[in-house]
Each structure stands twice: as structure tokens, then as C-alpha cells.
Amino acid sequence: MKLERLFEVKESKLFAISGESISTEGKAYPVKWSDVENGVEEYNEDFLAKLRDDLKALEEKNQFVFIEPSFDKNAGYEQFTAAMKHTARRIKDCVSVIGFAIPAEVLENKAFYIEELSAKHQQYCFFCKQNAGTDVVLY
């Protein structure tokens, strides 16, 4: 199921497809890597089902969020990216998801992360926080 793009990034700012500027403030939905993945590519499907239900509830309220994953495990960016890709698959029909945040631990490899998550979710926008979280850069 492919969702239509509702948002786009222009000059590192978020816009609705209709052209309206959208603030990113208050749109982060935190997700811990350790909640998603129990072991290497062993995923917590109960957690992911609840996440989907929560995001579908936001959809009913016409609210939109970025998934903001926290890199809270001691493993590499490839394993983290695989876990977030699996998360994206489990929430693929959630219109309420604007896209995903790029944690600082993944910034060096952001092209890989974005490519992996965008492969089947081309509607996603991506952002990262810089300067102690005071600036948001969108991709």
C-alpha cells in the first residue's frame, strides 16, 4: 500500500503539498530502538502493533508526527537502520507519519538511512536536530 505524499521539504523547511508552511515543533513521536528490537533482527511485534494503533488514533484526529527514534543500544548504524526500516514496514499505512528523525549517531551515514527507509516509503520526509537541538534540518 503506497501512501500519497502529504508533505515536502523545500529549502530545509516543511510544507504541506498544498503549499502551506508547517512547523516541526511538537511533532516528534519518540520511539526507543530498544523497544523495537529485542535482539539482532528480533523485533517486538507487540510494541510495533501498539505504535501503529497510536499512530492510527492520531490520524483520526488529523494530527501528524515525525517518528523520533532514540539510538539507545550498543550496536552499529546498520542494525539500527534495519530496526527502523522494520518499524516503517509495520506502520506503512499510517497517514499520520510525516517521516523519521535522523539520530546524531546516524548522521555520518544519513544517506544510507534515508535510502533504506525511503525505499518503500517515498512519502517520508527526514529531519535531524543540530546545535543542541535548537535547529532542525529537513531532508
Side-chain angles (χ1 to χ4, degrees), residues 109-125:
N109 302 288
K110 72 178 179 265
F112 173 76
Y113 178 78
I114 290 171
E115 182 179 322
E116 287 293 300
L117 270 67
S118 295
K120 293 193 176 185
H121 311 283
Q122 295 172 352
Q123 79 276 13
Y124 285 165
C125 298

PDB file of all heavy atoms in Angstrom, residues 109-125:
ATOM      1  N   ASN A 109      26.084   8.571   8.299  1.00  0.00           N
ATOM      2  CA  ASN A 109      25.574   7.600   7.318  1.00  0.00           C
ATOM      3  C   ASN A 109      24.125   7.895   6.955  1.00  0.00           C
ATOM      4  O   ASN A 109      23.358   6.985   6.638  1.00  0.00           O
ATOM      5  CB  ASN A 109      25.699   6.187   7.901  1.00  0.00           C
ATOM      6  CG  ASN A 109      27.134   5.868   8.251  1.00  0.00           C
ATOM      7  OD1 ASN A 109      27.955   5.674   7.377  1.00  0.00           O
ATOM      8  ND2 ASN A 109      27.436   5.850   9.538  1.00  0.00           N
ATOM      9  N   LYS A 110      23.753   9.175   6.977  1.00  0.00           N
ATOM     10  CA  LYS A 110      22.347   9.552   6.750  1.00  0.00           C
ATOM     11  C   LYS A 110      21.850   9.162   5.363  1.00  0.00           C
ATOM     12  O   LYS A 110      20.686   8.814   5.206  1.00  0.00           O
ATOM     13  CB  LYS A 110      22.113  11.028   7.031  1.00  0.00           C
ATOM     14  CG  LYS A 110      22.699  11.979   6.024  1.00  0.00           C
ATOM     15  CD  LYS A 110      22.369  13.424   6.386  1.00  0.00           C
ATOM     16  CE  LYS A 110      22.972  14.367   5.403  1.00  0.00           C
ATOM     17  NZ  LYS A 110      24.251  14.915   5.774  1.00  0.00           N
ATOM     18  N   ALA A 111      22.710   9.171   4.357  1.00  0.00           N
ATOM     19  CA  ALA A 111      22.279   8.801   3.004  1.00  0.00           C
ATOM     20  C   ALA A 111      21.795   7.350   2.982  1.00  0.00           C
ATOM     21  O   ALA A 111      20.757   7.048   2.384  1.00  0.00           O
ATOM     22  CB  ALA A 111      23.410   9.011   2.001  1.00  0.00           C
ATOM     23  N   PHE A 112      22.529   6.458   3.645  1.00  0.00           N
ATOM     24  CA  PHE A 112      22.135   5.049   3.737  1.00  0.00           C
ATOM     25  C   PHE A 112      20.800   4.925   4.472  1.00  0.00           C
ATOM     26  O   PHE A 112      19.891   4.231   4.014  1.00  0.00           O
ATOM     27  CB  PHE A 112      23.227   4.252   4.463  1.00  0.00           C
ATOM     28  CG  PHE A 112      22.856   2.826   4.760  1.00  0.00           C
ATOM     29  CD1 PHE A 112      22.854   1.863   3.763  1.00  0.00           C
ATOM     30  CD2 PHE A 112      22.509   2.443   6.048  1.00  0.00           C
ATOM     31  CE1 PHE A 112      22.511   0.541   4.038  1.00  0.00           C
ATOM     32  CE2 PHE A 112      22.159   1.133   6.336  1.00  0.00           C
ATOM     33  CZ  PHE A 112      22.165   0.185   5.335  1.00  0.00           C
ATOM     34  N   TYR A 113      20.671   5.592   5.606  1.00  0.00           N
ATOM     35  CA  TYR A 113      19.461   5.564   6.432  1.00  0.00           C
ATOM     36  C   TYR A 113      18.249   6.054   5.632  1.00  0.00           C
ATOM     37  O   TYR A 113      17.219   5.395   5.580  1.00  0.00           O
ATOM     38  CB  TYR A 113      19.711   6.442   7.664  1.00  0.00           C
ATOM     39  CG  TYR A 113      18.578   6.585   8.637  1.00  0.00           C
ATOM     40  CD1 TYR A 113      18.267   5.576   9.549  1.00  0.00           C
ATOM     41  CD2 TYR A 113      17.837   7.759   8.698  1.00  0.00           C
ATOM     42  CE1 TYR A 113      17.250   5.733  10.477  1.00  0.00           C
ATOM     43  CE2 TYR A 113      16.822   7.926   9.623  1.00  0.00           C
ATOM     44  CZ  TYR A 113      16.533   6.903  10.507  1.00  0.00           C
ATOM     45  OH  TYR A 113      15.528   7.071  11.423  1.00  0.00           O
ATOM     46  N   ILE A 114      18.394   7.192   4.984  1.00  0.00           N
ATOM     47  CA  ILE A 114      17.296   7.768   4.197  1.00  0.00           C
ATOM     48  C   ILE A 114      16.934   6.847   3.034  1.00  0.00           C
ATOM     49  O   ILE A 114      15.755   6.598   2.765  1.00  0.00           O
ATOM     50  CB  ILE A 114      17.653   9.187   3.707  1.00  0.00           C
ATOM     51  CG1 ILE A 114      17.688  10.156   4.893  1.00  0.00           C
ATOM     52  CG2 ILE A 114      16.685   9.670   2.640  1.00  0.00           C
ATOM     53  CD1 ILE A 114      18.239  11.534   4.571  1.00  0.00           C
ATOM     54  N   GLU A 115      17.933   6.317   2.358  1.00  0.00           N
ATOM     55  CA  GLU A 115      17.682   5.419   1.221  1.00  0.00           C
ATOM     56  C   GLU A 115      16.932   4.167   1.660  1.00  0.00           C
ATOM     57  O   GLU A 115      15.969   3.745   1.011  1.00  0.00           O
ATOM     58  CB  GLU A 115      19.004   5.031   0.564  1.00  0.00           C
ATOM     59  CG  GLU A 115      18.840   4.152  -0.651  1.00  0.00           C
ATOM     60  CD  GLU A 115      20.182   3.806  -1.293  1.00  0.00           C
ATOM     61  OE1 GLU A 115      21.072   4.671  -1.340  1.00  0.00           O
ATOM     62  OE2 GLU A 115      20.304   2.655  -1.748  1.00  0.00           O
ATOM     63  N   GLU A 116      17.355   3.578   2.767  1.00  0.00           N
ATOM     64  CA  GLU A 116      16.717   2.357   3.261  1.00  0.00           C
ATOM     65  C   GLU A 116      15.267   2.603   3.667  1.00  0.00           C
ATOM     66  O   GLU A 116      14.382   1.824   3.331  1.00  0.00           O
ATOM     67  CB  GLU A 116      17.500   1.785   4.453  1.00  0.00           C
ATOM     68  CG  GLU A 116      18.815   1.149   4.071  1.00  0.00           C
ATOM     69  CD  GLU A 116      18.620  -0.112   3.244  1.00  0.00           C
ATOM     70  OE1 GLU A 116      17.978  -1.060   3.727  1.00  0.00           O
ATOM     71  OE2 GLU A 116      19.107  -0.146   2.094  1.00  0.00           O
ATOM     72  N   LEU A 117      14.999   3.688   4.387  1.00  0.00           N
ATOM     73  CA  LEU A 117      13.641   3.964   4.853  1.00  0.00           C
ATOM     74  C   LEU A 117      12.746   4.495   3.744  1.00  0.00           C
ATOM     75  O   LEU A 117      11.531   4.332   3.789  1.00  0.00           O
ATOM     76  CB  LEU A 117      13.650   4.924   6.041  1.00  0.00           C
ATOM     77  CG  LEU A 117      13.736   4.227   7.407  1.00  0.00           C
ATOM     78  CD1 LEU A 117      15.066   3.529   7.611  1.00  0.00           C
ATOM     79  CD2 LEU A 117      13.467   5.194   8.518  1.00  0.00           C
ATOM     80  N   SER A 118      13.329   5.113   2.736  1.00  0.00           N
ATOM     81  CA  SER A 118      12.556   5.664   1.626  1.00  0.00           C
ATOM     82  C   SER A 118      12.225   4.632   0.565  1.00  0.00           C
ATOM     83  O   SER A 118      11.347   4.870  -0.272  1.00  0.00           O
ATOM     84  CB  SER A 118      13.325   6.803   0.951  1.00  0.00           C
ATOM     85  OG  SER A 118      13.489   7.878   1.825  1.00  0.00           O
ATOM     86  N   ALA A 119      12.906   3.499   0.573  1.00  0.00           N
ATOM     87  CA  ALA A 119      12.743   2.508  -0.492  1.00  0.00           C
ATOM     88  C   ALA A 119      11.276   2.190  -0.768  1.00  0.00           C
ATOM     89  O   ALA A 119      10.857   2.153  -1.920  1.00  0.00           O
ATOM     90  CB  ALA A 119      13.515   1.241  -0.156  1.00  0.00           C
ATOM     91  N   LYS A 120      10.499   1.971   0.266  1.00  0.00           N
ATOM     92  CA  LYS A 120       9.079   1.655   0.082  1.00  0.00           C
ATOM     93  C   LYS A 120       8.178   2.719   0.701  1.00  0.00           C
ATOM     94  O   LYS A 120       6.968   2.524   0.791  1.00  0.00           O
ATOM     95  CB  LYS A 120       8.765   0.293   0.683  1.00  0.00           C
ATOM     96  CG  LYS A 120       9.449  -0.827  -0.073  1.00  0.00           C
ATOM     97  CD  LYS A 120       8.914  -2.161   0.308  1.00  0.00           C
ATOM     98  CE  LYS A 120       9.566  -3.221  -0.562  1.00  0.00           C
ATOM     99  NZ  LYS A 120       9.028  -4.533  -0.351  1.00  0.00           N
ATOM    100  N   HIS A 121       8.787   3.814   1.136  1.00  0.00           N
ATOM    101  CA  HIS A 121       8.039   4.869   1.815  1.00  0.00           C
ATOM    102  C   HIS A 121       8.507   6.217   1.276  1.00  0.00           C
ATOM    103  O   HIS A 121       9.046   7.050   1.997  1.00  0.00           O
ATOM    104  CB  HIS A 121       8.250   4.787   3.329  1.00  0.00           C
ATOM    105  CG  HIS A 121       8.041   3.408   3.868  1.00  0.00           C
ATOM    106  ND1 HIS A 121       6.787   2.871   4.064  1.00  0.00           N
ATOM    107  CD2 HIS A 121       8.926   2.445   4.207  1.00  0.00           C
ATOM    108  CE1 HIS A 121       6.912   1.630   4.511  1.00  0.00           C
ATOM    109  NE2 HIS A 121       8.195   1.352   4.606  1.00  0.00           N
ATOM    110  N   GLN A 122       8.273   6.432   0.006  1.00  0.00           N
ATOM    111  CA  GLN A 122       8.774   7.642  -0.644  1.00  0.00           C
ATOM    112  C   GLN A 122       8.079   8.905  -0.165  1.00  0.00           C
ATOM    113  O   GLN A 122       8.537  10.001  -0.443  1.00  0.00           O
ATOM    114  CB  GLN A 122       8.669   7.491  -2.157  1.00  0.00           C
ATOM    115  CG  GLN A 122       9.564   6.385  -2.656  1.00  0.00           C
ATOM    116  CD  GLN A 122       9.354   6.078  -4.127  1.00  0.00           C
ATOM    117  OE1 GLN A 122       8.437   6.587  -4.752  1.00  0.00           O
ATOM    118  NE2 GLN A 122      10.210   5.235  -4.667  1.00  0.00           N
ATOM    119  N   GLN A 123       6.997   8.760   0.595  1.00  0.00           N
ATOM    120  CA  GLN A 123       6.294   9.922   1.107  1.00  0.00           C
ATOM    121  C   GLN A 123       7.001  10.528   2.334  1.00  0.00           C
ATOM    122  O   GLN A 123       6.690  11.642   2.732  1.00  0.00           O
ATOM    123  CB  GLN A 123       4.840   9.559   1.475  1.00  0.00           C
ATOM    124  CG  GLN A 123       4.656   8.839   2.801  1.00  0.00           C
ATOM    125  CD  GLN A 123       4.851   7.333   2.735  1.00  0.00           C
ATOM    126  OE1 GLN A 123       5.362   6.798   1.765  1.00  0.00           O
ATOM    127  NE2 GLN A 123       4.425   6.642   3.780  1.00  0.00           N
ATOM    128  N   TYR A 124       7.954   9.820   2.907  1.00  0.00           N
ATOM    129  CA  TYR A 124       8.594  10.291   4.133  1.00  0.00           C
ATOM    130  C   TYR A 124       9.525  11.472   3.906  1.00  0.00           C
ATOM    131  O   TYR A 124      10.279  11.513   2.926  1.00  0.00           O
ATOM    132  CB  TYR A 124       9.403   9.174   4.795  1.00  0.00           C
ATOM    133  CG  TYR A 124       8.584   8.133   5.515  1.00  0.00           C
ATOM    134  CD1 TYR A 124       9.160   6.935   5.866  1.00  0.00           C
ATOM    135  CD2 TYR A 124       7.248   8.334   5.849  1.00  0.00           C
ATOM    136  CE1 TYR A 124       8.435   5.954   6.537  1.00  0.00           C
ATOM    137  CE2 TYR A 124       6.522   7.364   6.511  1.00  0.00           C
ATOM    138  CZ  TYR A 124       7.119   6.183   6.854  1.00  0.00           C
ATOM    139  OH  TYR A 124       6.407   5.217   7.517  1.00  0.00           O
ATOM    140  N   CYS A 125       9.501  12.383   4.864  1.00  0.00           N
ATOM    141  CA  CYS A 125      10.481  13.461   4.975  1.00  0.00           C
ATOM    142  C   CYS A 125      11.368  13.096   6.163  1.00  0.00           C
ATOM    143  O   CYS A 125      10.967  12.329   7.042  1.00  0.00           O
ATOM    144  CB  CYS A 125       9.796  14.800   5.254  1.00  0.00           C
ATOM    145  SG  CYS A 125       8.670  15.326   3.943  1.00  0.00           S
TER     146      CYS A 125
END
